Amino acid sequence: MSKTGTNLPAGPQKMTPSEAFVETMVANQVTDIFGIMGSAFMDAMDIFAPAGIRLIPVVHEQGAAHMADGYARVSGRHGVVIGQNGPGISNCVTAIAAAYWAHTPVVIVTPETGTMGMGLGGFQEANQLPMFEEFTKYQGHVNNPKRMAEYTGRCFDRAMSEMGPTQLNIPRDYFYGEIEVEIPQPNRLDRGPGGEKSLDEAAELLANAKFPVIISGGGVVMADGVDECKAFAERLGAPVVNSYLHNDSFPASHPLWCGPLGYQGSKAAMKLISQADVVVALGSRLGPFGTLPQHGMDYWPKNAKIIQIDADNKMLGLVKKISVGICGDAKEAAVALTKRLASKTLVCDATKAERAKTIATEKAAWEKELDEWTHERDPFSLDMIEEQKKEATPTGGTYLHPRQVLRELEKAMPADAMVSTDIGNINSVANSYLRFERPRSFFAPMSFGNCGYALPTIIGAKTAAPDRPAIAYAGDGAWAMSMVEILTAVRHDIPVTAVVFHNRQWGAEKKNQVDFYNRRFVAGELDSPSFAGIAQSMGAEGIVVDQLDQVGPALKKAVEMQMKEGKTCVVEIMCTRELGDPFRRDALSKPVRLLDKYKDYV
């Protein structure tokens, strides 16, 4: 077998379909695959190692697909996941859906029942293409062993060209035999900046803008275009806000950075974009959850002209009405617009200094508010604070306010850290506190919003970037869904740090019960043993934190163990039951009960 980075002789070669499959992955620079071994692909698996490919066995296939997601988002290359046909493959659906909404080039390889057994209801038989139809950009089904390399190559090409998951479905008997095939070389698109006409129209709008604002989205990260976005923003003197959960799309130390929009985002960002007369959505689909009212503010500028730039033309104008749509690469479009504006006299040039002062003032006000926002202020949270003053943690300490914890974690966060966050109440509040200096540093389950995301994703990220600190944030509910992957980190020397917010509840949904259902709590309470203790039983380190002054030192100690000793550590933080704003205030309303028998519960 050829090692990764080498080439076979040119032209068709005789080989087995397994060899064609593996050689095509080698041509696409695959070095790591996540999954669980199975008989369905064992012939190919036998030659992974000679080809320079490491199969990283996981505890559960959902974790494997999340790891592939994290790996791809850090490296900018494919993440690859594989499993046994039937149940092994069906376990991946949730994680592939998360990768789809994160626009991550994951290739899921799905060996399936052999062709002679299909339709007979045999062992582990399943129709595997419909499972992923909604969550993949392309599905390649190998319908003849001679086409193994063709379909494999196409899945890898399409994952990159369409920036999303693809599925390679292979009947298990098609790995065997002898074929003559030429291994296809990768085909990568040069997207370009977009059409000249639309770029000119955008430049004209910006030349006459009085208060332009740039939304730096995930497309900026994917295009490696942060520096180009900076130059574009500096030419305009425009405040830059991060699109929802893309806090790494613009450096937080830059004077024009204003923080993220969307759920639990930056008030400074929201107040500034509310003043915009022209908004540039650079590499953002303007997803609805990232532009909803927040902190009591309906901040989206109703009369602003919108210039939307996206590599996928189907996203242009889909969510928000736009004035100019540019189908192009975010990096190249930023360069093209900056060049067009370089020699122009812009209306906003006259107020650049005033705008800079406004940006600084709003940011300072938001930072001051965060410093003073030590606990949630609604009546339920105040009740919980008083209640928990009366009780000690299992280790004799005190329950900590989540916002104070998040601020201390922010202060202690190492430079160049990669952070993944799970879904949940405290993790969502963390959106206000997570700041980054470089792209490919922040990972969240995006619009799919599934629990159990953070830990496996950060393991995948660490695999791709072993020299960077890797930290996962998770609440106790989400953590319980994925904590078994600590075994993967320990078994395969992929050290990570996990911060678990232990508040003994499903916080996000419980907040809905507070606000909409008169505190009628159903199924929201979680009683759990020590997560630090469970981690220790799996061979990792564990630290329990129940004093505020321990938060920063605990994170620093855990990261030091990760980077210097190669150890995985779980930092378990005992938090009060106070709750931030609910996720879906837009989707709920006070209930109206029409049946008399319910009158006692209204």
Side-chain angles (χ1 to χ4, degrees):
M1 297 300 298
S2 58
K3 291 281 189 179
T4 300
T6 64
N7 294 312
L8 291 171
Q13 308 289 323
K14 285 188 177 181
M15 62 184 74
T16 68
S18 285
E19 290 171 326
F21 166 63
V22 172
E23 290 290 354
T24 307
M25 289 198 294
V26 168
N28 282 275
Q29 299 183 317
V30 174
T31 56
D32 299 280
I33 299 176
F34 301 93
I36 295 178
M37 65 178 295
S39 60
F41 64 98
M42 200 161 277
D43 191 67
M45 184 178 70
D46 184 55
I47 51 177
F48 283 176
I53 297 173
R54 174 175 59 155
L55 176 63
I56 300 174
V58 302
V59 179
H60 190 278
E61 290 90 351
Q62 179 178 330
H66 282 316
M67 290 176 203
D69 186 348
Y71 184 97
R73 291 177 72 176
V74 171
S75 67
R77 300 189 291 123
H78 301 91
V80 184
V81 57
I82 195 169
Q84 176 68 6
N85 61 261
I89 298 308
S90 64
N91 281 345
C92 295
V93 173
T94 293
I96 294 299
Y100 178 84
W101 286 109
H103 310 288
T104 308
V106 170
V107 177
I108 177 167
V109 182
T110 60
E112 74 169 7
T113 301
T115 56
M116 295 304 294
M118 288 181 184
L120 301 181
F123 183 62
Q124 296 182 327
E125 181 183 351
N127 192 352
Q128 295 176 173
L129 291 169
M131 292 182 194
F132 297 95
E133 183 176 6
E134 185 178 350
F135 302 121
T136 50
K137 296 289 188 176
Y138 172 74
Q139 294 177 294
H141 173 70
V142 178
N143 57 10
N144 188 298
K146 295 178 181 179
R147 302 185 70 180
M148 178 71 82
E150 173 195 343
Y151 276 112
T152 302
R154 188 172 298 131
C155 282
F156 279 87
D157 287 344
R158 292 284 288 271
M160 293 299 291
S161 66
E162 300 198 28
M163 293 308 296
T166 59
Q167 179 185 6
L168 177 62
N169 198 61
I170 309 170
R172 57 187 294 162
D173 51 319
Y174 282 4
F175 285 102
Y176 301 92
E178 182 178 299
I179 59 175
E180 186 170 295
V181 63
E182 183 172 4
I183 301 301
Q185 294 305 301
N187 182 18
R188 297 292 177 264
L189 291 181
D190 182 6
R191 297 183 189 278
E196 293 291 316
K197 181 176 180 291
S198 55
L199 288 165
D200 289 342
E201 289 175 355
E204 186 64 23
L205 268 183
L206 288 166
N208 291 289
K210 296 177 181 178
F211 201 104
V213 175
I214 297 171
I215 301 175
S216 185
V220 174
V221 175
M222 296 171 204
D224 294 318
V226 171
D227 287 342
E228 290 73 16
C229 181
K230 283 166 54 179
F232 181 37
E234 288 164 1
R235 173 64 192 95
L236 292 166
V240 180
V241 300
N242 305 111
S243 68
Y244 181 57
L245 297 179
H246 288 296
N247 299 27
D248 57 346
S249 63
F250 201 79
S253 62
H254 196 285
L256 294 174
W257 170 84
C258 302
L261 295 180
Y263 184 56
Q264 293 290 351
S266 161
K267 282 189 181 181
M270 296 170 194
K271 288 179 179 180
L272 287 162
I273 199 170
S274 71
Q275 302 176 49
D277 60 341
V278 176
V279 174
V280 182
L282 184 60
S284 173
R285 67 184 184 91
L286 295 175
F289 201 58
T291 55
L292 287 172
Q294 182 66 192
H295 301 307
M297 293 186 287
D298 189 2
Y299 57 83
W300 187 259
K302 301 296 187 296
N303 299 316
K305 304 288 187 181
I306 300 177
I307 301 165
Q308 187 180 10
I309 302 163
D310 201 288
D312 184 352
N313 70 289
K314 297 187 294 298
M315 296 297 105
L316 299 176
L318 179 65
V319 180
K320 298 289 185 184
K321 182 180 178 181
I322 63 175
S323 300
V324 179
I326 299 172
C327 181
D329 178 82
K331 175 179 178 178
E332 297 299 328
V335 170
L337 288 172
T338 305
K339 285 181 179 178
R340 280 167 167 75
L341 299 173
S343 59
K344 287 179 178 284
T345 299
L346 311 183
V347 171
C348 64
D349 285 344
T351 55
K352 187 177 283 190
E354 180 184 344
R355 198 160 49 255
K357 184 177 179 180
T358 301
I359 292 168
T361 299
E362 291 293 358
K363 286 167 61 174
W366 176 231
E367 291 306 312
K368 182 175 184 293
E369 182 172 355
L370 283 179
D371 284 336
E372 296 172 353
W373 200 348
T374 56
H375 57 266
E376 303 299 342
R377 300 159 181 158
D378 63 276
F380 173 77
S381 289
L382 293 173
D383 289 347
M384 290 299 98
I385 292 168
E386 289 302 314
E387 184 72 23
Q388 294 191 275
K389 283 180 180 177
K390 304 171 187 176
E391 61 176 315
T393 67
T395 51
T398 57
Y399 288 100
L400 306 179
H401 303 300
R403 285 189 175 274
Q404 288 181 307
V405 168
L406 290 167
R407 200 59 154 170
E408 293 303 310
L409 290 170
E410 177 198 336
K411 294 174 185 176
M413 189 66 63
D416 204 27
M418 303 180 292
V419 180
S420 64
T421 57
D422 224 299
I423 197 74
N425 196 267
I426 297 176
N427 290 281
S428 296
V429 174
N431 192 31
S432 297
Y433 299 87
L434 287 168
R435 295 100 188 271
F436 301 93
E437 290 303 311
R438 64 176 284 189
R440 303 190 184 279
S441 298
F442 184 42
F443 321 107
M446 309 309 294
S447 299
F448 201 59
N450 67 285
C451 290
Y453 173 89
L455 175 62
T457 298
I458 209 66
I459 292 172
K462 183 70 173 182
T463 304
D467 58 326
R468 297 182 64 187
I471 301 166
Y473 281 10
D476 45 7
W479 178 252
M481 290 190 181
S482 62
M483 64 182 176
V484 288
E485 297 301 345
I486 287 290
L487 287 172
T488 301
V490 171
R491 286 168 174 168
H492 304 294
D493 297 319
I494 310 171
V496 298
T497 299
V499 177
V500 181
F501 304 105
H502 192 162
N503 65 354
R504 293 146 293 138
Q505 63 191 358
W506 286 108
E509 299 309 324
K510 190 172 181 180
K511 181 61 168 167
N512 289 330
Q513 293 172 335
V514 171
D515 287 358
F516 296 97
Y517 298 98
N518 199 27
R519 301 192 190 185
R520 294 190 295 276
F521 299 127
V522 179
E525 308 302 326
L526 298 173
D527 291 316
S528 305
S530 170
F531 293 119
I534 294 172
Q536 290 168 343
S537 74
M538 290 190 280
E541 301 294 324
I543 302 172
V544 177
V545 177
D546 54 11
Q547 299 293 336
L548 188 62
D549 61 3
Q550 298 173 354
V551 173
L555 180 64
K556 290 179 179 179
K557 180 180 179 181
V559 171
E560 183 178 10
M561 285 192 286
Q562 177 192 149
M563 301 306 295
K564 293 185 177 180
E565 303 173 41
K567 291 183 178 179
T568 289
C569 182
V570 173
V571 179
E572 180 181 14
I573 301 183
M574 308 305 294
C575 293
T576 68
R577 284 178 162 152
E578 59 196 274
L579 298 169
D581 282 343
F583 277 108
R584 299 308 310 274
R585 190 177 291 279
D586 65 303
L588 292 167
S589 60
K590 291 283 187 180
V592 175
R593 306 301 184 204
L594 301 179
L595 299 179
D596 287 342
K597 68 179 181 179
Y598 289 141
K599 65 181 183 297
D600 292 337
Y601 302 102
V602 174

